[in-house]
Amino acid sequence: MNYIEKGSKEFRKANAALFAGGFCTFAVLYSTQPILPYLSKEFNISPTTASLSLSVTTISLAISLLIVGSLSEALGRKSVMTFSMFSASILAMLTAFVPSFHYLIVLRILQGFVLSGLSAIAMAYLGEEIEEKSLGIAMGMFISGNSLGGMFGRITIGIFTDLFNWRIALCSIGALSLISSVLFYVQLPPSKHFTPRTLNMKKLTKSMVNHLKNSNLLCLFITGFLLLGCLVSLYNYIGFQLIAPPYSLSPTLVSFIFVLYLCGTFSSTWMGHLADNYGKQKVLRIAFLIMLTGIGITLSINIALKILGIALLTFGFFGGHSIASSWVGHLASHDKAQASSLYLFFYYIGSSVGGTSAGTFWTNYGWIGVVGLIISFILIAFIVSTKLPKDKAYEIHKAEKTNL
């Protein structure tokens, strides 16, 4: 069937392109997260209101994922993803010139809509073009790009805010994303297993409803919601704690907290590989336990221990997301793009709900309130994971090893 195999030139090019795509998407999506305290101060708004600059983007992204995934069935994968990246980069540069917080919100909503083009389709592209036994590592590479984009983008924002101001910082992210967009367009191999279909909204709506009726897929959707709710709750408000006494860190130093995203770059690929060999359900639960340990450690006043805790939660999150997102493609028996879109819809709604609700916990209870919310999310995710089925790919792999 000419699927892209691990080790081939096409496999390397596809990974490089989607790595760049993930880098661009997450650098732009979370570009306002490191500057929430400065937006709060400049526009004279509360921390919870400032967090809307991130939440509205993830909400519009989540909603449009349901539409764009369907559009790609008619328009093609690469063309929609390319448009998404270039337009998101231009909008990112425009956010640097907003005269008020309201204008920033409008542009951030538009960014969410266009960013959905890559997020909705990349998973479907990988599911269609990559051979099944290499899908776990390919998905891990894509998510590694997400984590590096999130990390490098936030660090750049922090440094440029410290050296210049947050406006120049946002403009720089737009320029970097534009470069990533060019790399994506040049490197991504064309689809070989995609068959265009006439857009039929009634049929596609029915397909989504059927996916929601699939209890296994619904468990994965809820898992995605809870996973990103945890991560965004942590990183939205850790900056508020670290710039205040007794830490009183500068924007540059606080931004280097996002270096911990390197843990995700490693864990998404490594835990994806472990899941292929030892079973997705087992490794997913291990990821939750790592997250639970990490968030508990962040209660320490000692900054070294606090950073260790953040690193552990980040490690577990990216590993868990890599497993859950690749599992959607295995469990969806039809219309994989719609299944991927629904997973990401829940995933980004989790970001909005977690990120904004954690603001209320931060305002009323401080850091211990944020930690309590995150722990509740992790425990619910663990319970949900017990409802997931046996991993057929792992069972086949185990049988093959036994026969050897």
Side-chain angles (χ1 to χ4, degrees):
M1 292 290 289
N2 295 321
Y3 287 102
I4 297 175
E5 299 179 354
K6 184 169 64 176
S8 66
K9 182 179 179 181
E10 281 194 320
F11 187 80
R12 290 191 294 271
K13 290 178 71 174
N15 278 337
L18 289 168
F19 185 92
F23 183 98
C24 169
T25 298
F26 272 66
V28 171
L29 180 62
Y30 291 106
S31 59
T32 62
Q33 193 175 46
I35 58 173
L36 292 181
Y38 305 95
L39 294 178
S40 180
K41 182 179 179 181
E42 174 153 343
F43 296 118
N44 194 27
I45 53 179
S46 70
T48 303
T49 302
S51 74
L52 290 175
S53 64
L54 177 58
S55 295
V56 298
T57 312
T58 52
I59 288 173
S60 64
L61 170 62
I63 294 170
S64 54
L65 281 172
L66 301 178
I67 303 168
V68 173
S70 301
L71 283 175
S72 75
E73 299 285 4
L75 301 177
R77 308 298 193 207
K78 185 172 181 177
S79 58
V80 176
M81 288 191 284
T82 301
F83 172 80
S84 166
M85 292 183 62
F86 277 98
S87 53
S89 302
I90 293 168
L91 285 169
M93 289 187 277
L94 291 177
T95 58
F97 303 99
V98 292
S100 70
F101 187 70
H102 295 94
Y103 283 99
L104 178 62
I105 289 296
V106 170
L107 287 176
R108 292 288 288 165
I109 289 171
L110 291 174
Q111 278 185 328
F113 280 121
V114 297
L115 281 171
S116 65
L118 183 89
S119 302
I121 301 165
M123 290 167 64
Y125 175 90
L126 287 170
E128 290 169 349
E129 304 301 327
I130 305 295
E131 62 173 353
E132 185 172 347
K133 66 181 181 182
S134 303
L135 184 59
I137 192 169
M139 190 69 74
M141 285 295 295
F142 171 57
I143 294 173
S144 293
N146 295 348
S147 64
L148 271 183
M151 179 200 75
F152 192 77
R154 289 165 168 103
I155 292 174
T156 302
I157 289 283
I159 293 173
F160 277 61
T161 298
D162 220 9
L163 293 176
F164 306 103
N165 57 58
W166 63 266
R167 295 179 184 275
I168 290 177
L170 289 179
C171 193
S172 69
I173 288 300
L176 286 170
S177 297
L178 200 58
I179 295 170
S180 296
S181 302
V182 173
L183 177 61
F184 174 87
Y185 177 74
V186 170
Q187 290 290 311
L188 188 70
S191 298
K192 293 180 180 178
H193 301 282
F194 167 72
T195 303
R197 293 185 293 175
T198 303
L199 190 60
N200 185 329
M201 292 306 297
K202 183 178 179 180
K203 182 179 178 182
L204 291 170
T205 301
K206 183 179 179 181
S207 170
M208 287 188 181
V209 171
N210 287 335
H211 285 320
L212 290 171
K213 289 179 179 178
N214 183 322
S215 60
N216 294 328
L217 285 175
L218 187 59
C219 284
L220 290 176
F221 299 157
I222 294 170
T223 298
F225 174 97
L226 295 166
L227 279 170
L228 194 56
C230 291
L231 191 77
V232 172
S233 296
L234 172 73
Y235 279 99
N236 267 11
Y237 299 99
I238 193 65
F240 284 95
Q241 187 181 40
L242 294 179
I243 66 171
Y247 308 107
S248 302
L249 300 182
S250 69
T252 297
L253 287 176
V254 171
S255 72
F256 273 94
I257 288 294
F258 296 104
V259 168
L260 297 176
Y261 266 54
L262 285 173
C263 296
T265 303
F266 170 72
S267 71
S268 59
T269 305
W270 183 61
M271 294 190 81
H273 178 69
L274 287 180
D276 288 342
N277 289 311
Y278 299 102
K280 292 180 174 63
Q281 190 182 66
K282 183 186 294 185
V283 181
L284 182 61
R285 290 181 190 175
I286 291 172
F288 293 147
L289 291 175
I290 292 171
M291 291 175 68
L292 195 61
T293 302
I295 194 60
I297 292 174
T298 66
L299 288 170
S300 172
I301 193 71
N302 182 289
I303 193 166
L305 286 176
K306 192 178 291 290
I307 291 171
L308 173 62
I310 297 169
L312 285 173
L313 185 137
T314 305
F315 184 96
F317 162 78
F318 277 103
H321 173 46
S322 174
I323 294 164
S325 58
S326 64
W327 208 347
V328 170
H330 287 158
L331 293 180
S333 58
H334 60 89
D335 297 321
K336 292 179 184 292
Q338 278 70 50
S340 297
S341 295
L342 278 169
Y343 173 82
L344 291 171
F345 171 80
F346 279 85
Y347 181 72
Y348 287 114
I349 288 293
S351 169
S352 301
V353 172
T356 301
S357 61
T360 302
F361 281 83
W362 166 258
T363 301
N364 293 317
Y365 307 107
W367 186 246
I368 194 170
V370 176
V371 169
L373 178 67
I374 293 172
I375 287 174
S376 67
F377 277 14
I378 296 171
L379 292 177
I380 294 169
F382 193 93
I383 293 169
V384 169
S385 72
T386 64
K387 307 297 181 182
L388 288 165
K390 292 272 188 181
D391 183 3
K392 291 182 180 179
Y394 163 64
E395 294 296 331
I396 293 170
H397 176 79
K398 186 169 70 171
E400 288 176 347
K401 288 179 68 176
T402 302
N403 291 334
L404 289 174

